[in-house]
Amino acid sequence: MRCAVIQFAGSSGDGDCCHVFKNILGQSADYVFHKETFKPADFDIVVLPGGASHGDYLRPGALSAHTKVMESVKEAANSGKLILGIGNGFQILLEAGLLPGTMLINKDIKFYADEVLVKVENTATPFTNLYKKDEVIRLILSCKYGSYFADAKTIEQLKSQNKIVLTYCGFGKNGDEEDPVASMENIAAIANQEGNILGLMPHPERCAEEILGNTDGLRMFQSILQYFEGGKTL
């Protein structure tokens, strides 16, 4: 499996993502700078990492969506390659029109950085095939603009097509509050209609090693590897 990790000006999760693919999964992983281009055949999966790309100016992801490398990302997406957007990477996919909807500021207008509980709603994706349906996992959420919003028609399409992949189901000391950012339908992750693009706000790469005290995110990356090793197609 050949992985590209995109580096935007202001990316901060690129090193963690590259570390997971390269040192934990033992796969090929290369950085691609936002001023560069690549061919769809060069990589099997493209990761847009978290951070504050281009300073989050205008809106998070707005400037990054128009960088040169996004032409290659769109070409790869249209050819069926897997695209994974994490945190700011999810925001970039929304701004680029590769996923529907947008992100609003969190409900309390504060930056949220802590563990959240999320429920796995859809395991029939290349990104979640090693989880169990309705399994509750712990991931790290780190964002100020993480409240997913879409019009009623889009929400209905996501629900009817089973493209809501993760939902928030708890946080706080007792885990008794459902959604720290007030996303519509408690959405934490969605996939596109074809199923080869996933955007999620929580960070699985920060929950991928025992030394971090949480390995719930590792199975997302192992699911991707299983998808390729199992020879599955969408």
Side-chain angles (χ1 to χ4, degrees):
M1 179 172 65
R2 299 160 300 169
C3 173
V5 178
I6 308 301
Q7 289 183 310
F8 299 96
S11 293
S12 59
D14 47 338
D16 291 338
C17 290
C18 194
H19 169 68
V20 172
F21 279 100
K22 203 168 195 175
N23 300 322
I24 298 179
L25 297 184
Q27 303 300 306
S28 170
D30 295 310
Y31 293 115
V32 179
F33 195 49
H34 68 86
K35 293 183 179 180
E36 299 176 322
T37 60
F38 60 90
K39 300 293 185 184
D42 292 342
F43 301 103
D44 299 306
I45 177 169
V46 179
V47 178
L48 281 64
S53 60
H54 298 278
D56 282 349
Y57 289 121
L58 298 181
R59 298 179 305 277
L63 296 184
S64 299
H66 297 281
T67 54
K68 190 173 183 179
V69 75
M70 287 305 295
E71 298 172 11
S72 296
V73 173
K74 290 180 179 178
E75 190 177 358
N78 291 334
S79 69
K81 300 292 182 176
L82 298 190
I83 311 293
L84 175 63
I86 303 171
N88 188 227
F90 186 10
Q91 296 164 335
I92 296 169
L93 292 177
L94 294 171
E95 289 286 342
L98 290 173
L99 288 172
T102 190
M103 286 292 173
L104 303 180
I105 195 167
N106 297 346
K107 62 180 180 181
D108 57 4
I109 319 180
K110 293 181 180 178
F111 193 98
Y112 182 91
D114 206 342
E115 278 192 346
V116 288
L117 300 179
V118 295
K119 181 188 292 185
V120 181
E121 303 283 354
N122 183 355
T123 60
T125 82
F127 309 92
T128 54
N129 59 67
L130 292 181
Y131 292 104
K132 296 178 182 177
K133 177 79 168 66
D134 295 330
E135 181 179 354
V136 176
I137 61 175
R138 293 182 300 135
L139 295 177
I140 298 294
L141 181 64
S142 178
C143 64
K144 186 174 182 179
Y145 287 80
S147 180
Y148 181 80
F149 177 86
D151 59 31
K153 181 180 179 181
T154 299
I155 292 294
E156 185 54 39
Q157 286 178 338
L158 289 171
K159 293 168 70 175
S160 64
Q161 296 172 357
N162 195 25
K163 298 305 178 186
I164 298 174
V165 180
L166 300 175
T167 57
Y168 298 106
C169 63
F171 78 108
K173 291 182 179 179
N174 301 316
D176 54 356
E177 297 180 67
E178 290 187 352
D179 183 347
V181 293
S183 280
M184 295 187 74
E185 300 293 330
N186 295 329
I187 286 173
I190 60 171
N192 65 331
Q193 187 172 0
E194 293 76 13
N196 64 313
I197 303 175
L198 180 76
L200 74 163
M201 285 310 295
H203 290 262
E205 79 281 9
R206 300 182 188 178
C207 310
E209 290 183 278
E210 291 288 352
I211 195 172
L212 299 175
N214 181 358
T215 60
D216 284 355
L218 178 59
R219 273 182 291 161
M220 181 163 291
F221 299 98
Q222 291 172 327
S223 291
I224 297 167
L225 183 58
Q226 168 68 21
Y227 170 78
F228 286 110
E229 290 187 340
K232 296 181 179 178
T233 57
L234 291 170

